[in-house]
Amino acid sequence: MVGRSIAGEHLAERYQQFLLIALGESILTIGFTLSGDAGFTRERTIGFALAMLTTVQFWRIYFFRAGHLLPLAITSAREPVRLGIAASFTHLVMVAGIILTGAGYELFIDHPLGHTVPAWLFAILGGPALFLVGRASFEFEVFSRISRSWVAGLLALGLLTPAMLFAPPLAAGGVATAVLFGVVVLAELRAHGEAPEKPTPPI
């Protein structure tokens, strides 16, 4: 990698654009699913609201500190090319989590009070969990640490999954939204009153 350079701001913008496109696709999925043949019932509308809130939480979690500082992290890293490549994989994981969650949106909007098939939870709860895994790795790339809020969110999703086997899909969607909201609150509380961090990439 000797002699290779990298434009941190340009690269970070491209990664963020891919993630924002995935979020936009999720919103389209939500709208198309709600406007399907089943119509605008109360349960389906609640599912629509939960899906929209979940998508907003993804956006908020991504840009909280690390998302804004990725360009500076890349340019200040000892090995910016390696960090840029590593960030591409973590963004791929987050995008995969968003896409998987989008499949879950269709399930709990179309079948809000139906029987929860175990495989459905892989999308409804596994998608947010995959996103948090990618987000925790992303934070490590920027700050050389992982916040407890992301770990707490993963633990909560894992612990609540067995109980959701006996609840309708809409309840599982509500759990995903509530856990992500809790992650945002924990992150905000931790950061309250603290000075803005500077990126400290590990490589």
Side-chain angles (χ1 to χ4, degrees):
M1 295 184 183
V2 177
R4 294 174 63 182
S5 61
I6 189 167
E9 185 173 352
H10 177 77
L11 190 61
E13 285 179 357
R14 291 296 173 267
Y15 292 159
Q16 291 169 0
Q17 286 170 0
F18 283 126
L19 190 132
L20 290 174
I21 288 170
L23 291 175
E25 289 291 332
S26 293
I27 293 172
L28 286 176
T29 297
I30 296 166
F32 286 141
T33 305
L34 181 65
S35 61
D37 295 336
F40 293 79
T41 65
R42 181 182 62 180
E43 291 79 12
R44 285 169 57 81
T45 303
I46 292 173
F48 168 84
L50 290 174
M52 289 297 295
L53 285 172
T54 298
T55 302
V56 171
Q57 300 303 338
F58 281 151
W59 174 85
R60 183 68 187 91
I61 290 170
Y62 173 77
F63 280 104
F64 181 76
R65 292 195 169 183
H68 288 296
L69 293 174
L70 179 59
L72 184 57
I74 292 175
T75 56
S76 63
R78 296 189 302 275
E79 299 184 55
V81 174
R82 281 187 59 195
L83 182 60
I85 293 172
S88 70
F89 287 107
T90 54
H91 278 75
L92 183 61
V93 172
M94 287 186 282
V95 167
I98 292 170
I99 293 172
L100 185 59
T101 305
Y105 294 159
E106 295 185 67
L107 295 171
F108 69 72
I109 292 175
D110 269 343
H111 312 281
L113 301 180
H115 172 69
T116 299
V117 179
W120 290 8
L121 294 181
F122 179 71
I124 299 173
L125 298 180
L130 186 60
F131 177 84
L132 288 177
V133 168
R135 181 55 177 79
S137 301
F138 176 49
E139 181 173 76
F140 182 78
E141 290 165 356
V142 176
F143 295 119
S144 299
R145 61 159 174 77
I146 297 175
S147 295
R148 285 174 289 184
S149 51
W150 319 134
V151 177
L154 283 168
L155 288 175
L157 289 170
L159 291 173
L160 290 169
T161 296
M164 291 301 101
L165 290 170
F166 307 99
L170 187 62
V175 163
T177 304
V179 169
L180 291 175
F181 180 76
V183 167
V184 170
V185 171
L186 286 175
E188 292 283 0
L189 288 174
R190 178 186 176 277
H192 182 69
E194 291 185 358
E197 287 184 271
K198 293 182 179 180
T200 54
I203 55 177

